[in-house]
Amino acid sequence: MKNLGEKLRLGVATPLNHPSVLRRTPAAPKNRKAARAGTPPLIIPTDRKEAEFDLNGHRVKLTNLQKVFWPELGITKGHLLQYYADVAPVLLPHLINRAMVMKRYPNGIAGKFFFMKHAPEPRPDWIQICSIAHSSGNIVDFPVVQDLASLLWIVNLGCIDLNQWYAHCGNVDKPDYLHFDLDPVEPASFQDVCEVAALVHEALDGLKIPNFAKTTGSRGIHVYVPMVVGPTQKQVWGFAKELAGQLAALHSRLITAQYRIEKRPQGRVLLDYNQNAWGRTLASVYSVRPRPLATVSTPVTWEEIAKGIRLEDFRIDNVRERVGALGDLWKPLLSPRGRCRLDKFFQRAEPAGG
C-alpha cells in the first residue's frame, strides 16, 4: 500500500478562465455505463500548491494541495479533494440541507485535529448556514453543504470525513433516519461485527423495518433505517435503545448495549444506540476516514456482509470505481417511498376516562 497517492486519479492544472471549468456540476449518471464513462466534475492539479475554480458562479480557492495527509501512503490533500469531487454526484444528495459538524485535520491524519461547529469567519457569502439552538441557549451557526463548491470548501478546511446532522435544517429535532453503530470491543473482531450486523438485519426485517448497511471506514458497521419524518429525536433514541437492549439480552455472549466503558464487557460488539441522541453525528456515507489505509465509509449489501467483507476492501483509491459499477447503494435512504413509520411502534397513552 506504499505510495498509494501515485495510484489515485491524477490531473493537470486547468486555468480558471478555461471553458471546461466554467460549467455546471455534472448530474449523477443515470446508468452504470454512463457512470463508468463519466468524467470527474473538475480536475484538481497536483503540480501546484493552490488552485481556484468557478463552480456555478461560486469561486472556490483550494490551498495546500501538495500537503501530505497520509504520510505512509503518499496521499495529499489534493488527492482527498479530487476524491470528493469525483463522488460528489452520489454524495451530495445525502448532505444537502443538513448542518455539518466539522472535524478538522489541518495537517492530515498524523497531526492534531479539532472539532468546529460554528462556520468560520470570514467565509464566502454563498455558504449557507443552519442555526441550531443548544440546550445552553446558545445558537450555533453550522455550515451546510449544498453543492460541489461548498463541499470542496468544507474539505479544504481539513475535514477528512463529513459528519452531518440527522435531520434537515428547519426541522432539526425530527430525523429522517435512525441508526446503529456497531463497534467491536476488544478482543472482538470485525467478523464478529458482521455477525451482529446480520442479527440486527434479521430483527429489523422481522419487524418489517427497512434497513441498510455501510462500513464505518473505521472499525465497524453502521445500520440505518430510513424513516417517515414525525417522531422527535428523543423518541427515535428511545426506540433504538429498547431494540438494542433486547438484542443484547438475546445474544449476551456476542452483543452489549452498555454505553459506559467501565461497565462494558470485553469481547462483545457494542450495539451503540446512543449516537441517536441530540447533537450526535456519524461519518456520512462515502466519507474518507482518518485511518492508516484511507478507508471509506461505503454502502454494502447484506449479501456481501454474509459472504464476508473487510474494512480495508473499501479505500479512497477504489470506491469511485465501485460506485461507477454499482451506483449509489444508499439511494433508498433518499426516497420518500419505503420508509418506516416508526411512530406505530410507540405506545400511546389511553385518553382519560377511556
Side-chain angles (χ1 to χ4, degrees), residues 26-38 89-90 323-324 326-328 331:
K30 296 182 178 181
N31 54 56
R32 296 183 183 181
K33 183 177 180 180
R36 287 192 294 268
V90 293
V323 171
L326 301 179
D328 180 17
K331 193 173 182 179

Side-chain angles (χ1 to χ4, degrees), residues 25 53 61 64 74 82 86 107 132 134 139-140 167 176 189-190 201 231 248 279 287 313 340:
T25 303
F53 299 91
K61 184 177 182 179
N64 298 312
Q82 184 69 66
D86 291 346
N107 295 305
I132 299 178
H134 275 208
I139 302 296
V140 178
D176 60 351
S189 66
F190 184 69
H201 173 55
S287 277
D313 290 338
C340 172

Side-chain angles (χ1 to χ4, degrees), residues 50-350:
E50 297 182 353
E52 196 166 350
F53 299 91
D54 192 312
L55 302 170
N56 287 345
H58 301 325
R59 185 157 295 199
V60 185
K61 184 177 182 179
L62 306 179
T63 59
N64 298 312
L65 297 176
Q66 295 175 320
K67 181 179 284 188
V68 177
F69 266 31
W70 279 264
E72 293 296 318
L73 302 178
I75 298 176
T76 66
K77 183 181 178 183
H79 293 137
L80 178 67
L81 285 158
Q82 184 69 66
Y83 165 81
Y84 278 117
D86 291 346
V87 300
V90 293
L91 169 62
L92 286 172
H94 299 282
L95 304 180
I96 287 173
N97 293 330
R98 299 179 191 269
M100 183 66 64
V101 177
M102 294 173 287
K103 187 177 182 181
R104 297 177 62 178
Y105 289 78
N107 295 305
I109 69 167
K112 294 182 179 179
F113 68 87
F114 62 95
F115 284 96
M116 186 176 191
K117 295 183 178 180
H118 281 282
E121 300 226 16
R123 61 176 179 266
D125 59 8
W126 42 265
I127 293 294
Q128 295 188 28
I129 296 300
C130 182
S131 299
I132 299 178
H134 275 208
S135 57
S136 63
N138 294 329
I139 302 296
V140 178
D141 291 333
F142 293 88
V144 182
V145 171
Q146 297 289 63
D147 51 22
L148 178 60
S150 51
L151 171 63
L152 295 183
W153 179 81
I154 286 280
V155 177
N156 190 61
L157 292 175
C159 295
I160 292 176
D161 50 12
L162 304 169
N163 299 271
Q164 86 280 5
W165 203 261
Y166 36 67
H168 288 100
C169 295
N171 206 10
V172 295
D173 193 40
K174 299 289 185 71
D176 60 351
Y177 58 75
L178 71 80
H179 45 63
F180 295 99
D181 183 8
L182 281 59
D183 197 22
V185 182
E186 293 185 354
S189 66
F190 184 69
Q191 287 69 34
D192 294 323
V193 172
C194 290
E195 185 176 348
V196 171
L199 293 172
V200 175
H201 173 55
E202 181 182 9
L204 291 171
D205 273 3
L207 294 170
K208 300 188 183 306
I209 295 177
N211 54 96
F212 301 85
K214 67 183 178 74
T215 66
T216 66
S218 178
R219 286 160 36 91
I221 287 176
H222 291 154
V223 178
Y224 273 53
V225 170
M227 293 169 33
V228 174
V229 173
T232 65
Q233 190 65 44
K234 187 174 182 179
Q235 289 175 313
V236 173
W237 173 86
F239 177 86
K241 180 181 179 181
E242 177 67 21
L243 183 58
Q246 291 183 14
L247 285 171
L250 286 172
H251 308 280
S252 59
R253 293 185 179 183
L254 187 59
I255 301 175
T256 179
Q258 178 55 252
Y259 192 71
R260 296 182 62 178
I261 296 176
E262 64 272 16
K263 292 187 176 182
R264 195 178 299 162
Q266 294 183 339
R268 310 297 199 278
V269 173
L270 173 64
L271 188 52
D272 188 355
Y273 61 87
N274 218 34
Q275 292 302 115
N276 291 282
W278 173 264
R280 302 287 180 86
T281 59
L282 292 175
S284 83
V285 66
Y286 303 116
S287 277
V288 184
R289 304 306 305 276
R291 303 290 293 180
L293 295 180
T295 43
V296 173
S297 182
T298 307
V300 292
T301 67
W302 290 110
E303 291 75 15
E304 286 178 309
I305 290 177
K307 291 179 180 178
I309 57 174
R310 302 179 305 164
L311 287 168
E312 57 267 31
D313 290 338
F314 310 98
R315 308 178 307 275
I316 191 174
D317 65 321
N318 64 9
V319 164
R320 284 168 286 199
E321 287 69 26
R322 176 179 169 87
V323 171
L326 301 179
D328 180 17
L329 296 179
W330 218 234
K331 193 173 182 179
L333 273 89
L334 304 171
S335 175
R337 297 184 178 182
R339 308 187 75 84
C340 172
R341 293 198 62 91
L342 198 67
D343 53 1
K344 70 181 181 181
F345 293 97
F346 301 147
Q347 292 183 352
R348 292 179 170 83
E350 291 292 334

